[in-house]
Structure formats: C-alpha cells, structure tokens
Amino acid sequence: MRCGDFRESYLEDEKIFQSTFVKVWLVILLVGLVTLPLFANDYVMYVANQIGFAVIAAVGLNLLTGCTGQISLGHAAFIGVGGYATAVLITRFGIPFWFALPLAGLISAGVGMVIGIPSLRVKGLYLCIATLAAQFILEYVFINWEGVTQGIRGINVPPPRIGSFVFATEKSFYYLTLVVVVAAVGFARNILRTKWGRAFVAIRDRDLAAEMMGIDLFRHKLIAFALSSFYAGVAGGLWVSFMKIVTPEHFPFSRSIEYLAMIIVGGLGSVLGSIFGAIFMVLVPELLNVATGSLKGFFPNLTQIFIPMKEVIFGFLIVGFLIFEPHGLAEIWHRIKNFFSLWPFSY
Amino acid sequence: MGTTSHLNQPNQAADQLLRVDDISLRFGGVNVLANVSTSVAEGEIFAIIGPNGAGKTCLLNCINRFYQPVSGRIYFEGRDITPLRPHQIPELGIARTFQNVELFKGMTVIDNIKLGRHVHLDTGLIAAGCYFGKARKTELALRKEIEERIIDLLEIEHIRKKRVGALPYGLQKRVELARALAMKPKLLLLDEPVTGMNLEETEDIARFILDIHDEWGVTIVLIEHDMGVVMDISDRVCVLDFGVKIAEGSPDDVRHNEQVIKAYLGEQDLTYSRLGA
C-alpha cells in the first residue's frame, strides 16, 4: 500500500516516476533485465531481442498513430528502409554500425516525411490508404532495385563490434538492444510531456482547434511521421544486424498490420502500452509454439491442426482484447496499480 | 451610431489595437458579412451582439484568419494580418475561445492549458526528448506560472488533473478560457462565454472576464446573447444584423437605438425586457 505520497513542488509533480516505491520496482526490473542472459538460454534471448526491436518500432508507431492520430499502414516498410539503409551503409560505404544506425534512422525519417506529405490534405481512412501505397511501393523497391538491395537474395550484414568485441551472439546483442530500447522509450516519454507531445495529441483530438492554438498542422504531422519513421529505421537497423541478413520478405504488409495490432492491444497513445503490446504480440505466438510443441507428444494425430489452430487462438486473443479492454493492456495495468495503491483499505 | 464615423480616419490608428476594415465574406451566394468595419481600442471590452446568424462568429473567424474574407483588410497593432495563416495568429497575441467548446478531450486540464503556450515555447524536438537543462526548466516554469496565475485565477485547482472529456460543460468553458489565457493574449476573443450556464456560473465568468481585463490589461472582444452580461461589462457594443453593422456605441446608446430594437426584436413591446433596460 502506498501512502504519505505528497508532492511538495512542481518538479515532483512533473516527474514520470513519482514515488520511491515505483523507483524501487523500476530498479528491480532493470537489474532483472540486465541479469537475464545469465539464466536464460539462447532461445529466450532470441525472443528477448525480437521483443526489443518490436518495442522500439511500436513506440515509434504509437507516437504517430496513437498520439498524433495519423494511421500508418506502412510501418514495416519504414523498418525495411532502416534495415536496408544500415546494410548498405555498412557493406557498401564501410561506415561502422554505430554511425550507420542513426544515419539509417535519419534516412528512414526522410522517407517517412515524404510519405507523410499527403497527410496535409487527407485524414483518417484516406491517409490509411495513402500509407498503404507507400508500403507496396517500398516493398517493390526492395525487391527490384537490385543494384542497391540485391533483390530477393538480400544483403549479408556483419554484426556490430567495438574494437575486437563482436556483438555476434544473442546474449551480447541483447545488451545493445536493451540500451537502445531504454533510450528510445525514455525519449518518447519525454517528448510526450513537452510542447511536442501536447501538440501531437491536440492534432489527434481536434485538429482545427489545434491550428487556432498556433500549431502548424502540416509541420507537426510531418515531424510526427519523421519521428515515427526514425524509430522504425533504428528498429530495422538493429534487426538486420541481429539477423545478419536483410531480405525483402522481412518487411511484408502483414507486419505493418502486426505493429498496428501491437499498439491497439497495448493501448493507443501510451508509451507503456506500446511496450506491453510489443511483448504480447511477440511472446504469445512463441508461447503458442511451445504449447503446441509439447502437446504434439500427446496427440500425434492432431499435429496438422495445431499449426492453423495457433493462428486462430492468436486471432481470438486479439479480438478478445478489443472487446473486453478497448483501452489496451496499459489500462489493465493502471487498474491493477490503482487497486493495489489503496489495498487493503480501498474504501 | 456614435463612434463609427471616426473609423476612416487613419490618424486615430495609434490607440486602435484591432481594426477591421470593410470586410465582406461570402459562402456561395450568401453574404455572411457585408462591408463590416469596426475597431477595438486597447484596453477595451468590446461586445458584438446580434440575432442568430448575424455573422458574429464569422467575424471572429475572419479575425483569426480561419475564414478568408473576399474583400477588406484586418489590422492588428497597425500590422495587416490579412495574409497570415490561422496558426500564425496566436503568436501575435490574439487568443480565442469557441462557441462550442473546442478542447482536446483526451488531455488533462493542465495539459490543455499548457498547450495554449505552445507558440511561445522554443524547446527543440531533441531537447524535448532529452528533457534536460533548459527544456526541463522551461516546462517547470510554465507549470508554475499556469498554476499560480491562471488556475488560481479561474478557480479550477480541483480539476486540473482530470481528463477534459469527463468534465461538465460549465467547467469545460472555464478550462477553455484558461487555455486562451495561457496564450499570453493582448487581445482575447470570447465567443459566447456564458451560453448554457446558470446564473451563478454566468456571474463567475463575468467576474473572471473583468478580473482578466483589470489585472492582465487584456483587451477583450466578446460575442454574447446574454444582454445582462453585455450591458454590464462592455465599454462599447457593436450590433450586426444579417452581416451588416447596424449600430455601434456605448451600451446605453445601443440599447435605445431604434434600428437595433427593430432588428433585434422586431417588436417594440419586448424591447425593454430583452435588452434589459
């Protein structure tokens, strides 16, 4: 139970992590994350890395879709731009990974801004279709711009290294991912509590009123697109460096939908929600894999049903969330937190 | 008609904060505003009244550049603001509230108010993301100022952490006023600030408007149907009817103006009860 929690200055009230109680848990969580590779096997670390990439990309998409209200169906393509940019910068231009990654983010941000230009004129479903076009155009470019992307053969990407230390294993790469995830999440959370975040939400809630409050709609929408694509680009760069290869089938349209599902399941407009959503969308299929794998021994005749069943169960879970908790996992988390903040004297 | 005659004399422009010069606005074939000219002096409370559909809100929308008049110019502090875009207006010091509350419903009260200051904050995107040093100081100073000057003045301490969408209408109107104040206005455009409020809430808002006017020295232009409020607090009143200005002058002049009585009410009998004379 939390009590005696009084704020005595505006500084205390503006903090993201307000009580010592929360800070203690945060430290425990961080220690847990840092020490995870000591206990976990390579498979778990592989999943943890995947979650990390998903978190970065989902936070980016949530800034655009959840906060600014501009639906994007091309997020996977932006991730692809980042991935290809990283690969090309490293292999063609010999730029070290550490510079290639932010550069790839910037390139992706540039592409995102171009894709965002229609947002000046079109909103809602129409913008959705415009970004859908971006997805297919970029996919086409990945496959057919052989000179740069090497088409469907893809590009082999060397793992990042510092001096003689190479981030080649799941465990070592995990630390790299963790650092970027923490930075990305912190940055997004800070953006949301300053003038930029407020302007984004204002555009989502009432764009005409936002304009009359002095917000240049076009500029801010473009910035939201750029920011979101930057996140996507960084996620893509990390991802291809982890997989050590980039091919066009990493970035299909279905993955764009998956990212939208992440932020919807997690909670639109909430950084925490993006994290929950990313964990959910990566973890649940893997858990279903494990579950069906272990059931195979008991029902050898039903193996063929298990694989499609996995998809069906996954679909039902998502629909269930939309029906029973439309505000997403973040809302469930808040409710649990509120319950325990007064527990056991909650009257 | 009183003060209308001085409008065309340029030498009086010095104390004019806002001058609307001969603007016309058309929607299709409808003349919404026809050659309306008026001016607002610095430090004044200026009311615009008129029957429904007279073009009052359209006039405000022209002033903050949401509508593009087909002819005429608008000057603010002697500067022609007609070519500006709506988002460039708040920077000059023109703030407004809306007839139908236009708050950002997903944000808390305090965030809504903070948003009003948007154009006056110069935090860059990267500085904002790092939230360190100047960016942090700016946010804290903003919070302090809003708490101590605006929230305190408008008596909305108890709701500042609430989501705006969940608030009753009267409080939403008050939050909207607070947001306009956060814009550091020199000129405050209020579109029907007391509509739909009970007597007590109306009196509160009237008191706030006077407080803002006296303590902050803000010039106020308000549109209102509540004649009690208009006649009590405004220095000058402008009357529009079907897009034409039919009278302008002190509340007393306007109240007894034959044309106003006719246009506004049509019937002489009701005049005194409606205009509060």
Side-chain angles (χ1 to χ4, degrees), chain A residues 13-14 190 195 205-206, chain B residues 102 106 114 121 129 131 143:
Chain A
D13 204 35
E14 292 277 322
N190 280 334
K195 66 175 264 192
D205 282 357
R206 205 90 178 86
Chain B
E102 299 277 1
K114 276 179 179 171
L121 302 176
Y131 202 76
R143 174 78 192 271

Side-chain angles (χ1 to χ4, degrees), chain B:
Chain B
M1 295 281 224
T3 49
T4 47
S5 57
H6 75 266
L7 280 180
N8 297 324
Q9 297 166 13
N11 59 343
Q12 290 221 339
D15 65 329
Q16 284 170 0
L17 188 66
L18 176 78
R19 186 154 64 93
V20 176
D21 199 2
D22 201 29
I23 64 167
S24 300
L25 178 69
R26 248 174 247 136
F27 290 149
V30 185
N31 278 324
V32 186
L33 293 171
N35 304 97
V36 175
S37 293
T38 189
S39 69
V40 181
E42 185 143 18
E44 204 172 31
I45 298 183
F46 184 85
I48 302 170
I49 62 171
N52 285 323
K56 308 180 294 292
T57 302
C58 288
L59 182 58
L60 283 204
N61 281 342
C62 283
I63 292 172
N64 66 12
R65 309 300 312 111
F66 191 56
Y67 289 161
Q68 183 66 41
V70 288
S71 66
R73 307 256 115 202
I74 299 159
Y75 299 90
F76 181 71
E77 294 184 312
R79 176 182 169 192
D80 186 359
I81 61 168
T82 329
L84 297 184
R85 311 242 317 113
H87 66 82
Q88 295 171 309
I89 296 300
E91 219 167 329
L92 304 173
I94 302 179
R96 81 171 281 186
T97 67
F98 300 87
Q99 188 171 358
N100 308 311
V101 179
E102 299 277 1
L103 288 165
F104 308 112
K105 301 218 184 317
M107 292 160 78
T108 60
V109 167
I110 190 134
D111 275 348
N112 263 282
I113 302 173
K114 276 179 179 171
L115 185 106
R117 189 53 64 83
H118 183 82
V119 291
H120 298 292
L121 302 176
D122 55 357
T123 311
L125 189 68
I126 295 179
C130 301
Y131 202 76
F132 188 74
K134 190 160 158 280
R136 182 157 159 269
K137 234 177 266 169
T138 312
E139 281 297 316
L140 289 177
L142 174 62
R143 174 78 192 271
K144 185 175 156 73
E145 190 191 330
I146 282 173
E147 291 273 357
E148 288 171 12
R149 288 195 69 198
I150 297 169
I151 292 187
D152 199 41
L153 177 76
L154 297 180
E155 297 163 12
I156 45 178
E157 296 89 346
H158 56 295
I159 53 161
R160 63 189 164 191
K161 295 278 180 70
K162 293 220 166 91
R163 261 175 211 284
V164 161
L167 294 177
Y169 178 76
L171 283 175
Q172 289 195 7
K173 282 236 146 189
R174 217 185 277 191
V175 174
E176 209 186 19
L177 182 58
R179 186 181 64 180
L181 284 184
M183 295 165 80
K184 287 197 189 163
K186 291 174 197 153
L187 176 67
L188 186 57
L189 310 171
L190 303 174
D191 196 347
E192 307 203 358
V194 302
T195 307
M197 297 196 174
N198 62 29
L199 186 62
E200 196 186 336
E201 287 170 326
T202 304
E203 282 172 352
D204 278 342
I205 293 283
R207 176 164 56 87
F208 294 142
I209 293 174
L210 287 173
D211 282 349
I212 293 161
H213 178 252
D214 296 343
E215 288 177 25
W216 293 38
V218 178
T219 309
I220 291 167
V221 172
L222 87 157
I223 293 176
E224 190 44 68
H225 281 296
D226 186 321
M227 284 309 139
V229 172
V230 170
M231 296 300 166
D232 280 351
I233 69 173
S234 46
D235 298 318
R236 277 191 318 131
V237 181
C238 163
V239 189
L240 290 180
D241 187 29
F242 289 110
V244 179
K245 185 167 91 170
I246 57 169
E248 185 173 292
S250 71
D252 263 339
D253 289 349
V254 167
R255 196 185 327 222
H256 298 110
N257 184 308
E258 284 293 324
Q259 220 183 336
V260 174
I261 292 166
K262 206 169 129 227
Y264 212 82
L265 303 161
E267 274 182 68
Q268 196 116 32
D269 291 353
L270 292 168
T271 312
Y272 290 96
S273 57
R274 279 288 294 276
L275 287 180

